[in-house]
Amino acid sequence: MSKNMKTDAMEFDFGAGYGWDDVTDEQAGELMRHLPLNIEELKIDNYSHGTLLIDGITKWIEKSQNLKALKFWNTTVGSSEAGARMAKALPQDNIVDLYLCYTDIVQSTNAEEWGETLGKMKSLKNLSIYGKGGGGQEYNPMPLDGGIQIFEGVANSVSLQRIDMGYNGYGKEVIAALGNALNKNHTITKVSIEELESEMKDDVKAAVEKLNEDMKDRTPKVDIGYCSCKY
């Protein structure tokens, strides 16, 4: 992590050897609460047992003044309620990039809150939601209904241009929900979905192929990619 006080962007890497090994969960939460309010970008890497950390960031978000990019990588929260609280605190304006990658911040039990929030964000252009399962992590997909609720919210976005999603355990029903969102929302021009191989892979691949066919006359054009990967 960079410990300087430069306020355009701050990154905290809590991985071993990056200077934060002795920080307790309580201290990490307090640190987040007292970040400079004019940060434009905040990135968190490699944090486990992060409920207090997430709650600290949520409290900071409620007071922040110019947050444009919020990025989480390899962060375990362990609480869907904490993720829901963060979703409700995100501002409708300013945020352009929201990356929730290899994390359980979004779960099936808080997908409704996240869907509602994403639909109201007026500046959001780039959205990434990757569940735990990449990078050798234990596979922990977000169940089917969560994906449907996310896309129901995305359908109402007025600014979103790109969606990258993976390791969420999506089935063909979620691909159908994505199609409904793309029919309603014409700002999205790029969708990338990556999943681990499963018994559903053939059905999901066929659903994505059908979706691409259904969208061939959509204006503007939308590029939809799907990849099934081995764990």
Side-chain angles (χ1 to χ4, degrees):
M1 158 14 216
S2 1
K3 291 186 180 180
N4 61 59
M5 292 303 293
K6 190 176 181 181
T7 55
D8 56 348
M10 296 189 75
E11 176 179 351
F12 294 82
D13 190 336
F14 290 95
Y18 285 90
W20 301 98
D21 297 31
D22 297 328
V23 172
T24 67
D25 294 339
E26 290 79 6
Q27 290 171 333
E30 281 300 305
L31 175 63
M32 296 299 111
R33 287 173 185 262
H34 295 94
L35 293 175
L37 297 180
N38 58 341
I39 293 174
E40 293 186 2
E41 177 178 327
L42 176 63
K43 183 179 180 182
I44 304 294
D45 290 328
N46 299 312
Y47 199 90
S48 300
H49 312 295
T51 300
L52 294 177
L53 178 89
I54 294 299
D55 281 340
I57 294 174
T58 296
K59 291 297 184 183
W60 170 77
I61 287 173
E62 292 173 349
K63 299 180 292 183
S64 65
Q65 301 167 350
N66 197 33
L67 181 62
K68 296 179 180 178
L70 182 61
K71 303 177 181 181
F72 290 90
W73 292 79
N74 300 322
T75 299
T76 301
V77 180
S79 166
S80 63
E81 291 83 2
R85 289 192 290 270
M86 172 171 284
K88 293 176 180 179
L90 288 176
Q92 294 185 15
D93 299 315
N94 294 335
I95 294 183
V96 176
D97 301 315
L98 180 60
Y99 298 160
L100 309 171
C101 298
Y102 312 120
T103 177
D104 60 352
I105 293 175
V106 179
Q107 302 181 26
S108 62
T109 48
N110 63 23
E112 182 175 356
E113 288 86 353
W114 277 104
E116 290 177 358
T117 291
L118 294 172
K120 295 176 181 178
M121 296 177 75
K122 300 175 183 177
S123 302
L124 184 64
K125 293 184 178 180
N126 302 301
L127 171 67
S128 292
I129 300 179
Y130 277 74
K132 296 182 68 62
Q137 298 181 35
E138 180 182 355
Y139 188 39
N140 182 27
M142 180 171 64
L144 189 68
D145 58 336
I148 292 174
Q149 290 169 323
I150 291 294
F151 286 128
E152 286 175 346
V154 162
N156 297 316
S157 172
V158 297
S159 59
L160 189 59
Q161 297 177 3
R162 177 172 181 142
I163 306 173
D164 294 282
M165 308 185 84
Y167 307 117
N168 290 304
Y170 291 153
K172 61 182 181 180
E173 293 87 352
V174 175
I175 303 303
L178 168 61
N180 293 335
L182 293 174
N183 281 324
K184 182 177 180 180
N185 180 313
H186 288 263
T187 64
I188 300 169
T189 56
K190 175 71 175 179
V191 178
S192 176
I193 301 174
E194 184 176 355
E195 291 293 344
L196 296 178
E197 286 190 357
S198 71
E199 296 177 355
M200 301 185 298
K201 69 175 183 178
D202 291 337
D203 286 345
V204 174
K205 181 179 179 181
V208 173
E209 291 174 351
K210 181 180 184 302
L211 180 58
N212 269 307
E213 179 65 22
D214 292 343
M215 294 292 138
K216 67 180 182 180
D217 296 325
R218 179 181 182 269
T219 303
K221 295 289 186 182
V222 57
D223 179 11
I224 304 169
Y226 174 75
C227 176
S228 177
C229 307
K230 292 183 178 180
Y231 181 69

